[in-house]
């Protein structure tokens, strides 16, 4: 996967810069997402692997994408097929999202809690994180019924564990040492 990422990065960067210049970030994200969705279909994968001519493969994939891709998306597919790199679509998409998040100063945060947090709680957490990190925060919530109470915040390589289990574990460690 690391090799794919290093090969995918220049493609993603080129698309990202093109999309910024043409103010089409949303459009490119939607097109790439659609291409990945199609390329991950098991039946489509079988058909693609059986095709040997670049023109045939390009035309087939473009026709399946339909009107959800524009002329630039079609050219992008032709380039990937010609270079035998259609397999990189998902890596290119993920790298594009990564570059877009950096460009738009966005950090995705996952909050894991024992119960559903209300809107006021989420807004408060978001406001604190935005102030602390100086970034726009997008929150995704998950429920873990194994937590007694509290919550866990995860973003980038950071974990902030504010669960009761974690606090009890720390207390036990402190008492034993």
């Amino acid at each position: 996967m690391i090799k794919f990422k290093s090969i995918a990065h220049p493609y993603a960067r080129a698309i990202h810069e093109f999309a910024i210049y043409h103010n089409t970030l949303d459009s490119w994200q939607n097109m790439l997402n659609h291409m990945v969705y199609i390329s991950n279909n098991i039946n489509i994968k079988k058909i693609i692997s059986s095709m040997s001519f670049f023109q045939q493969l390009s035309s087939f994939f473009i026709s399946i994408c339909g009107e959800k891709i524009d002329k630039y998306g079609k050219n992008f597919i032709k380039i990937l097929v010609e270079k035998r790199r259609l397999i990189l679509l998902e890596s290119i998409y993920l790298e594009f999202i990564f570059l877009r998040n950096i460009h738009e100063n966005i950090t995705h945060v996952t909050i894991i809690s024992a119960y559903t947090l209300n809107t006021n709680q989420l807004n408060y957490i978001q406001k604190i994180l935005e102030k602390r990190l100086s970034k726009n925060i997008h929150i995704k919530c998950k429920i873990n019924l194994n937590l007694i109470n509290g919550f866990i915040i995860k973003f980038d390589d950071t974990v902030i564990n504010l669960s009761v289990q974690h606090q009890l574990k720390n207390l036990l460690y402190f008492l034993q040492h």
Side-chain angles (χ1 to χ4, degrees):
M1 187 66 168
I2 292 173
K3 184 178 181 183
F4 279 177
K5 185 176 179 180
S6 64
I7 297 170
H9 181 78
Y11 289 98
R13 190 177 72 237
I15 292 169
H16 183 257
E17 289 173 6
F18 180 86
I20 288 172
Y21 182 78
H22 292 282
N23 197 26
T24 55
L25 283 167
D26 288 337
S27 174
W28 269 102
Q29 184 170 335
N30 291 335
M31 284 192 293
L32 289 169
N33 185 37
H34 184 66
M35 291 176 204
V36 169
Y37 175 77
I38 288 171
S39 69
N40 282 336
N41 180 290
I42 293 171
N43 294 324
I44 301 298
K45 283 183 179 183
K46 288 178 186 176
I47 293 170
I48 287 173
S49 65
S50 70
M51 292 186 171
S52 57
F53 298 106
F54 297 130
Q55 185 63 35
Q56 183 186 24
L57 178 54
S58 292
S59 298
F60 172 74
F61 197 82
I62 290 168
S63 69
I64 291 176
C65 289
E67 295 180 14
K68 294 206 175 199
I69 60 170
D70 63 16
K71 65 181 181 180
Y72 302 112
K74 291 174 185 176
N75 287 338
F76 175 64
I77 290 171
K78 289 176 186 176
I79 290 168
L80 288 181
V81 169
E82 182 181 315
K83 300 290 184 186
R84 298 177 187 228
R85 294 193 169 158
L86 194 59
I87 193 170
L88 295 176
L89 267 174
E90 189 165 5
S91 296
I92 292 168
Y93 173 70
L94 293 173
E95 194 67 16
F96 175 84
I97 297 297
F98 176 77
L99 293 170
R100 184 173 183 182
N101 287 340
I102 290 171
H103 174 74
E104 295 177 349
N105 200 28
I106 295 172
T107 295
H108 292 272
V109 172
T110 301
I111 299 177
I112 304 165
S113 62
Y115 52 87
T116 303
L117 299 174
N118 67 42
T119 305
N120 289 339
Q121 292 167 321
L122 291 173
N123 288 340
Y124 182 72
I125 293 168
Q126 182 176 5
K127 188 189 305 183
I128 289 171
L129 289 174
E130 285 178 344
K131 184 176 180 181
R132 177 83 172 138
L133 301 174
S134 299
K135 293 190 178 237
N136 298 317
I137 302 297
H138 290 192
I139 295 177
K140 176 182 172 185
C141 295
K142 290 184 179 180
I143 303 297
N144 181 343
L145 299 176
N146 294 326
L147 292 177
I148 297 170
N149 206 346
F151 53 90
I152 300 168
I153 300 173
K154 294 182 177 184
F155 59 93
D156 300 331
D157 293 332
T158 304
V159 176
I160 302 170
N161 194 335
L162 301 171
S163 67
V164 171
Q165 283 95 330
H166 185 69
Q167 292 173 7
L168 290 174
K169 188 186 289 184
N170 285 343
L171 178 61
L172 180 63
Y173 179 81
F174 175 76
L175 294 173
Q176 289 177 342
H177 293 90

